[in-house]
Amino acid sequence: MSGLIIFTGANSSMGIPAAKHLLEQYPGHTVVFTVRDASNTDVNTNKLRDVIAEHQSAGTNASILPLDLASLSATHKFAATIAAGVQSGLYPQLVAIVCNAYYWNLVSDPELTEDGFDKTFQVSHISHATLVLRLLGSFNDAGGRVILISSDSHWPGKNAMEKYPPAIPENLDLLVKPTADYDKQGRGYQRYATSKLAITAWMYALNRYLEKDARLSKVTAMAVNPGNMVDSRALRTNTPLSLHYMQMLVYKPLLPLLRLVMGPTLRTTVPAGKDTVELALSPEYAGKRGFFTLLTKDESSPDSQNEDLQSRLWAQTLVWGNIGKETTALQGVPGERSHS
């Protein structure tokens, strides 16, 4: 079933091989790859352009559009543009949204966006949730898939980089307005892991609403741990030099040995990108919901499966994202909210 695919963070370390795999293996779709910087001066966006130019098959329409997930107004505007394009026939109906973009900062204090929210949490959770909710009405009547990129970091104690466990506090405002701490790396990683916990927990609530909606019950959501990628630019972006050296001297050269100890989730970006595309588009995963590690259905953390936590996070995410029943096709969303 051909249709429209939205893929955020498409010029990332995993995004570029995912784009290559998508264009090679799933021709005939219309693909909108989003990036924060779509200019000709961004080296990674130019790599994505090269992939599109080299692999775009006959009948496949691929384009790159700017989307700054650190701005809710930009996110709403982008979603409205795509929805209008689907309605007018400029784009076919959606078959998949892959929420791949992320942000972290392990070397400085928490950063607030123009919306007043922690940047890590907004990019990874709030804006992706907003994008998905805004675009649900543009999905194909036959259904489609929402892929939310999670991580083993969402489960306390599972990632070696963890110093402070991820957690959803009773006061949810602490998620969007964290306090500064002397331990930049430890707290920065905790904010990242907590954002992955949030998007994973939110996925379960989203699926419950989708299953109850007659129009959207064939749209399914998956939260995916794509593995820990030793060649990712993430280890060199907003990180201390120690991580750069670990990547260069340990993770990459010793990957075969490390996998013997740490297992198959330690890998490179190419298989991670391929697997993400397969989950989004392969007939094998049609109708699947829930948490996946690589290509296998798995259990997420106990906290992420707490329905009270899911419900609290769901309701507050609607507030953070400025989503009401006039801005999403999903039934059961309360309130009338203004929007950008």
Side-chain angles (χ1 to χ4, degrees):
M1 179 179 64
S2 62
L4 175 64
I5 301 159
I6 306 293
F7 196 115
T8 73
N11 62 354
S12 66
S13 299
M14 188 179 83
I16 290 174
K20 180 177 184 291
H21 184 71
L22 193 163
L23 294 171
E24 288 179 345
Q25 300 300 318
Y26 294 94
H29 290 285
T30 297
V31 190
V32 173
F33 294 113
T34 80
V35 298
R36 184 186 59 81
D37 183 358
S39 72
N40 290 326
T41 60
D42 188 282
V43 63
N44 296 307
T45 300
N46 285 334
K47 290 179 183 177
L48 179 61
R49 287 192 179 93
D50 291 341
V51 167
I52 293 172
E54 183 180 354
H55 295 94
Q56 187 164 304
S57 304
T60 298
N61 179 16
S63 60
I64 299 173
L65 292 181
L67 173 58
D68 184 2
L69 293 165
S71 166
L72 279 171
S73 63
T75 302
H76 278 280
K77 184 177 180 180
F78 174 85
T81 298
I82 295 296
V86 171
Q87 188 171 20
S88 70
L90 176 64
Y91 298 119
Q93 288 183 306
L94 269 167
V95 294
I97 303 175
V98 181
C99 298
N100 172 62
Y102 90 104
Y103 182 81
W104 73 3
N105 194 323
L106 310 187
V107 292
S108 70
D109 290 333
E111 301 165 84
L112 297 184
T113 67
E114 64 185 34
D115 303 292
F117 300 142
D118 174 62
K119 188 174 182 179
T120 295
F121 195 79
Q122 178 167 334
V123 170
S124 294
H125 174 63
I126 298 173
S127 290
H128 274 135
T130 299
L131 180 68
V132 168
L133 290 170
R134 286 294 303 261
L135 288 176
L136 286 175
S138 298
F139 267 92
N140 192 296
D141 291 340
R145 298 174 221 175
V146 174
I147 305 297
L148 306 167
I149 301 301
S150 182
S151 165
D152 67 357
S153 66
H154 90 278
W155 189 313
K158 283 210 169 183
N159 193 289
M161 288 183 65
E162 176 188 305
K163 187 171 181 180
Y164 311 103
I168 305 296
E170 284 297 319
N171 180 2
L172 295 179
D173 282 341
L174 295 176
L175 293 171
V176 294
K177 298 184 186 298
T179 57
D181 190 285
Y182 74 94
D183 188 351
K184 313 302 183 191
Q185 181 174 344
R187 294 301 182 187
Y189 190 79
Q190 183 187 38
R191 292 193 297 274
Y192 166 78
T194 297
S195 74
K196 294 303 184 181
L197 170 58
I199 201 70
T200 303
W202 185 82
M203 174 270 300
Y204 290 107
L206 174 61
N207 273 323
R208 284 199 295 273
Y209 276 91
L210 288 170
E211 289 181 89
K212 294 175 184 177
D213 191 306
R215 160 72 172 82
L216 297 172
S217 61
K218 294 181 180 179
V219 178
T220 61
M222 289 179 268
V224 181
N225 167 21
N228 296 305
M229 292 161 269
V230 298
D231 56 340
S232 174
R233 293 198 311 272
L235 295 174
R236 306 188 301 275
T237 304
N238 297 332
T239 56
L241 281 174
S242 59
L243 280 182
H244 302 209
Y245 292 130
M246 285 293 290
Q247 180 183 50
M248 181 174 60
L249 301 175
V250 179
Y251 298 147
K252 292 171 71 173
L254 299 181
L255 177 59
L257 291 175
L258 293 172
R259 281 171 62 90
L260 294 176
V261 177
M262 303 178 69
T265 56
L266 192 70
R267 58 181 182 164
T268 64
T269 54
V270 171
K274 289 179 178 179
D275 286 356
T276 300
V277 170
E278 291 301 308
L279 288 169
L281 296 173
S282 170
E284 182 178 350
Y285 301 98
K288 301 295 185 182
R289 295 178 170 87
F291 184 78
F292 282 72
T293 295
L294 310 188
L295 291 174
T296 303
K297 185 72 181 291
D298 202 357
E299 290 288 315
S300 62
S301 72
D303 282 351
S304 70
Q305 297 188 58
N306 182 310
E307 288 198 19
D308 177 66
L309 181 152
Q310 294 165 9
S311 296
R312 291 193 302 114
L313 190 61
W314 174 268
Q316 188 59 44
T317 299
L318 296 177
V319 176
W320 286 327
N322 206 13
I323 293 290
K325 60 185 179 181
E326 80 287 359
T327 50
T328 181
L330 189 63
Q331 297 299 305
V333 172
E336 294 285 347
R337 305 185 193 283
S338 62
H339 61 283
S340 303

